[in-house]
Structure formats: C-alpha cells, structure tokens
Amino acid sequence: PHAGPVESKNEAAMSELVPEPRQKPVVPMKPMGINANLLGYIGIDTIIEQMRKKTMKTGFDFNIMVVGQSGLGKSTLVNTLFKSQVSRKSSGWNREEKIPKTVEIKAIGHVIEEGGVKMKLTVIDTPGFGDQINNENCWEPIEKYINEQYEKFLKEEVNIARKKRIPDTRVHCCLYFISPTGHSLRPLDLEFMKHLSKVVNIIPVIAKADTMTMEEKTEFKQRVRKELEVNGIEFYPQKEFDEDLEDKTENDKIRQESMPFAVVGSDKEYQVNGKRVLGRKTPWGIIEVENLTHCEFALLRDFVIRTHLQDLKEVTHNIHYETYRAKRLNDNGGLPPMTVETEENHESNL
C-alpha cells in the first residue's frame, strides 16, 4: 500500500524528464542500454566461422533451368558458366531419333567442388520449347514441373516425422534465352515470361550476341527492357524484394544497364597473347567469352554465381515457394490431400 504514492511521484518525475515521443528514424538507432566497450574478448565473432564449417560439411544445392528455342546455345552457355560439361549437348539429330513434339524436361545432377566447397548442381533443360509451328501453351509443362518441385518440398515439410534436411529440387533460377533478332520480343517470349515470372526467378539472356554489332546490341537491349516494362513483366532481381538501400542501388544498376545480358558461350580454348582463353574463332579474330569489351558473359556469371546465388535461393524459398505453399494449404483447409500411402504413414507414426 505504501509503494503507490512513491511510484506515482517517480512517474511524475520521469514524465518531466522524458521528452515528447518523436517519429521513428529511418535508420534504427543504436540501443542505449548496451555497453559496446567489452572488458575482454568473448568470442562472439567466431559464430561466422562456426556457420562456415557447418555449411561446408552439408554443401549447397543450386538448381538452374534453361529455356529457349533449339540452337540458341543453352547447353554451351551453362557449360561455360560452370567451366565443365554439366549440360548434355546433342551433336545433332540422328535419323533414328525423333524430334520431340512436346516440351520435355531433362534434369541432370552434378557435384562440383571448388576450394573445399561442394555444390550439388542440377541443370534442367527443356528441349522442344518453341520449336513447333503451333506453340500454344508450350510453357505449361515447364510451369507444371516447377510447381511439382514445390509440391514435393511441401509434402516433405508437412510430414509428422520429417527429414532434418529436406532435399531441395526447387528451381532457383531460370535463364530465358532470347533470339538475337535485333527487332523485338516474340509473342511466345512475352507469354512465357508473363506466366512464369510469378513462380520462378527469370533472368533474360540475349543468346549468341556475337551475331549483332555493338550498336544493334545496345539498341536491342533497350527495346527488350522497354517491352518487358510495358507488358508488366518482372524479372529477377524484382524491385519489391530489395531489402535495403545498398541492395536497391546495386540492383537498380543491374536492371537499368545490364539486363538482359547479351552473352556468347564457348567451351573451346584458344591462345591469345600467351594466355589460354575461352572463345569463338572467326575470320576476323577471336571473340573472348570472358572479355567485357566483347560480351557480357562475365557480368552474367558474376551476377548468378558470385553475388546473387544465395539471394536467388532465398527469394525462391521466401517468396515463390511461400506463395505456392499459402495457396495450396488455403485451398485444402490446411494440409495437402491425404493419399492411401500418407494415411498409412500417418497411422504408423501415431
């Protein structure tokens, strides 16, 4: 009973000292109660090394899909990206082989190791896309495949006894190959990107850029950017997913200057000024794949692998998969429909 008036006095004193609450600053202020001057070494900074060791043991998954008409150099470019034969390359049609009448999906897995870091790379190829006279709804098998991978992950996630580490087969990145016509995007390109930009990270790429002059290339890039903007097609990195000002500045530069990447792929080496370089030999000289004055392959590689690989995975998990998961669970009242197999597993678990 005696504490009441003392408290009220203290509160009155506090209200005189504490100024009016101001608007929250844009940048969060440093917490006042924490003393930054530590009396000795604790070892908080070792958490980074602990995380590194853990992730080094488990390794990484990265699933990349390549989409585009036959003959645009999809397999060659992926092989150039990872400097190894990671994508099957057909040497042309044999008489016995039939040309695929519908879009096929071929996934090829590899384990690549560099500097002690292991990456389980899966290249998903889509032969038959856009090769027919009637290409109506030819993106449907691709969309179905992407959603099947989300479904597979979701089923593993909602299991009662789920795995400690769920195998990740979700498509993290889709390289869409644009034909180097120099004119404009085809209706097929626009329809594909409209349908799939909501379910996967699309990175548009102008294939075989060495077939255009520098002026044609610059003009074509601007035209493609304009067409994508007019049609409301969002490619990766999407504006609304920029986390802070630094990300926004970096990604704006990529969106306004680099996209779509005009690239040349090659898995053949040539000798140039005493150095071995990947390139394409022409009667006028050698086009060096990794030379920025020749093409933008180096920019694409740095973007996909060296700066945005982790972000591609995070956007896939936090945005595209999350959207699919919310819709799927909402449609089915909270859980995917139980099959006989899952019912038996459910009973045995109980």
Side-chain angles (χ1 to χ4, degrees):
H2 300 291
V6 176
E7 278 178 5
S8 60
K9 276 180 189 175
N10 286 344
E11 279 171 16
M14 285 288 281
S15 62
E16 285 174 340
L17 292 169
V18 176
E20 285 284 312
R22 347 177 252 186
Q23 283 189 335
K24 193 180 175 185
V26 179
V27 180
M29 290 176 72
K30 194 176 175 184
M32 299 303 287
I34 298 169
N35 181 16
N37 302 319
L38 301 174
L39 298 175
Y41 178 68
I42 299 171
I44 299 165
D45 56 356
T46 61
I47 194 164
I48 303 295
E49 186 58 23
Q50 291 170 44
M51 287 164 76
R52 194 187 72 84
K53 279 182 182 173
K54 230 173 170 40
T55 47
M56 287 274 277
K57 281 177 191 172
T58 52
F60 301 88
D61 292 308
F62 188 60
N63 308 316
I64 186 167
M65 179 183 261
V66 285
V67 182
Q69 275 183 298
S70 298
L72 288 178
K74 300 187 295 294
S75 301
T76 306
L77 186 81
V78 174
N79 289 341
T80 316
L81 264 179
F82 297 99
K83 293 196 175 178
S84 54
Q85 297 294 317
V86 291
S87 186
R88 281 200 199 114
K89 193 175 172 186
S90 62
S91 55
W93 296 107
N94 296 328
R95 288 187 179 182
E96 295 79 29
E97 282 183 351
K98 286 183 180 177
I99 296 171
K101 291 200 174 163
T102 53
V103 180
E104 293 177 17
I105 309 284
K106 290 181 179 176
I108 307 141
H110 299 271
V111 175
I112 298 177
E113 191 172 343
E114 185 181 50
V117 179
K118 281 184 186 174
M119 184 167 80
K120 187 177 180 290
L121 173 73
T122 306
V123 178
I124 303 122
D125 201 356
T126 54
F129 176 83
D131 291 347
Q132 305 305 310
I133 293 168
N134 180 10
N135 288 307
E136 194 179 354
N137 299 339
C138 66
W139 57 81
E140 281 180 356
I142 297 169
E143 190 172 16
K144 186 175 173 240
Y145 177 86
I146 291 166
N147 285 330
E148 276 171 1
Q149 307 319 305
Y150 291 148
E151 182 67 21
K152 202 186 284 185
F153 196 90
L154 176 63
K155 279 184 176 171
E156 285 288 348
E157 215 176 36
V158 297
N159 274 345
I160 293 168
R162 60 183 182 181
K163 293 171 186 170
K164 189 181 176 184
R165 192 164 180 262
I166 299 168
D168 193 359
T169 58
R170 297 168 299 179
V171 180
H172 300 126
C173 170
C174 172
L175 290 181
Y176 187 78
F177 285 68
I178 298 163
S179 189
T181 57
H183 295 287
S184 58
L185 291 171
R186 299 169 304 158
L188 176 62
D189 301 330
L190 293 168
E191 283 300 314
F192 176 89
M193 288 192 260
K194 253 183 210 172
H195 280 85
L196 272 86
S197 61
K198 301 282 185 286
V199 294
V200 71
N201 295 318
I202 291 178
I203 297 174
V205 167
I206 297 167
K208 298 195 169 180
D210 53 331
T211 59
M212 293 188 286
T213 64
M214 300 303 273
E215 293 79 17
E216 284 172 341
K217 188 171 75 177
T218 308
E219 201 179 309
F220 187 44
K221 278 165 69 88
Q222 287 171 351
R223 197 173 291 157
V224 169
R225 277 200 295 270
K226 187 76 182 161
E227 281 193 61
L228 291 172
E229 192 184 326
V230 167
N231 287 279
I233 296 164
E234 288 204 346
F235 48 82
Y236 179 84
Q238 297 92 329
K239 285 179 188 175
E240 64 264 38
F241 306 149
D242 294 342
E243 288 184 6
D244 52 36
L245 192 63
E246 190 187 344
D247 279 4
K248 189 183 182 303
T249 310
E250 188 186 339
N251 290 341
D252 274 346
K253 195 180 176 189
I254 292 160
R255 283 187 284 259
Q256 290 159 16
E257 294 174 22
S258 305
M259 289 283 185
F261 295 97
V263 296
V264 178
S266 174
D267 43 18
K268 288 181 182 169
E269 282 192 343
Y270 295 96
Q271 195 89 15
V272 176
N273 300 330
K275 287 182 182 177
R276 301 290 292 172
V277 296
L278 286 167
R280 286 172 56 80
K281 195 172 186 179
T282 69
W284 306 276
I286 290 165
I287 297 158
E288 295 171 42
V289 165
E290 294 179 273
N291 188 335
L292 279 173
T293 56
H294 293 196
C295 81
E296 293 166 355
F297 169 80
L299 287 177
L300 173 68
R301 182 204 50 213
D302 291 356
F303 176 64
V304 173
I305 299 168
R306 298 184 185 181
T307 61
H308 284 69
L309 190 143
Q310 185 57 32
D311 190 59
L312 279 161
K313 292 181 67 169
E314 282 174 16
V315 171
T316 301
H317 181 76
N318 299 331
I319 311 294
H320 299 305
Y321 169 68
E322 208 57 38
T323 307
Y324 177 86
R325 179 181 166 276
K327 186 180 181 300
R328 188 80 175 81
L329 296 182
N330 194 39
D331 291 349
N332 291 292
L335 283 172
M338 274 197 163
T339 59
V340 176
E341 190 185 327
T342 52
E343 272 179 22
E344 285 171 5
N345 289 345
H346 182 66
E347 282 167 18
S348 64
N349 282 330
L350 288 172

